[in-house]
Amino acid sequence: MGIWVADVSRIDSAAQTFAANLVVVMSWRDPSLAHTQPGVQQYNLRDIWHPDWLVANATADLHSAFPETAGVSSDGTVSYRQRLIGTFTQPLDLRAFPFDRATFRIHFVMIGQTPAEMQFLPNQVLVAQGMPTGSGIARDLTLQDWRVTDSKAGVLPYQVAPGFLVAGYAFEFRAERLVQHYIVKVIIPLLLIVIMSWAAFWIDPALRSSQISIAVTSMLTLIAYRFAVGSETPKLPYLTSLDSFILASSILVLLTLVEVIVTASLVSNQRPELARSIDRYSRFGFPIAYAVVAVATLFG
């Protein structure tokens, strides 16, 4: 087996799929096909014995670009090449999103062959070109929001049912998400909204209308922000790190509004010094609490 991934064009976290363009090389020796003709003889694949294979995690849009033919050399060595273009499914654990990493797999399954009946070796041509596992991935990919860190290929039996394995071979690559986009477009704007709400702590509680106005404006801005970034985050049945951070930030802005209402009430009840004291503690308490929350939710 030999596998070369020419491109990975898209990783869809919400749909848990990735799109790839790859070339597969399979070769085996069939003595019954040995011949004395000069050069390599071409056969239609359906006219000779060949591994009956499929990609276990392929979607319906996977298609083959090369004709289904194989070349046979004089000693009966059969060489088959195929280019596959399409989408593959890949279960992802996105709890650490957007600081997540994942392993992506293209799993070839040999139908009707048990692991004991079929053995795999890396393609020697690719090994001679410096790829020990007979596989590789292009350095320059059109993928924009992930970075591939390493890849490998090897034997991986496929479980059709409990206790029933068929021969399999898999190419895997590891990738990490590039977080710059989310830091600039999601996290920093949220930080600015939360920091804006703290301006209320620096206004004298006697000017309670100004304090309340800042707190309410921050809350409304946060609500608009949540709608704006909805398309930036995957829709999942569990909370990711970014979801937890946004939720914690929303709670903190709400607590700012509660604090402002409390100090305004104290001023109305002729207790302005206590209100000012609460504001002074809030100036430092809220940023410290937010720093702890940010570290716990994004990197915990």
Side-chain angles (χ1 to χ4, degrees), residues 204-224:
D204 194 288
L207 303 174
R208 52 185 179 271
S209 60
S210 297
Q211 282 190 317
I212 294 175
S213 177
I214 290 174
V216 170
T217 300
S218 299
M219 181 59 70
L220 294 176
T221 304
L222 182 61
I223 292 171

Side-chain angles (χ1 to χ4, degrees), residues 82-101:
Q82 188 54 263
R83 181 183 181 187
L84 303 177
I85 304 171
T87 306
F88 306 85
T89 60
Q90 180 62 55
L92 298 174
D93 185 351
L94 300 175
R95 288 178 173 82
F97 174 86
F99 302 97
D100 52 330
R101 301 179 179 184

Side-chain angles (χ1 to χ4, degrees), residues 146-164:
W146 290 75
R147 182 176 70 89
V148 174
T149 57
D150 60 79
S151 65
K152 65 178 182 178
V155 177
L156 184 64
Y158 182 78
Q159 181 171 290
V160 178
F164 180 34

Side-chain angles (χ1 to χ4, degrees), residues 180-207:
Q180 292 88 338
H181 168 82
Y182 297 96
I183 290 175
V184 173
K185 292 192 174 182
V186 180
I187 295 177
I188 290 179
L190 180 56
L191 287 172
L192 296 177
I193 294 171
V194 177
I195 292 172
M196 178 181 71
S197 71
W198 298 340
F201 304 145
W202 297 86
I203 298 175
D204 194 288
L207 303 174

Side-chain angles (χ1 to χ4, degrees), residues 52 54 62 92 101 106 176 190 227:
D52 190 7
L54 57 81
L62 181 68
L92 298 174
R101 301 179 179 184
I106 301 173
E176 59 185 16
L190 180 56
F227 281 108

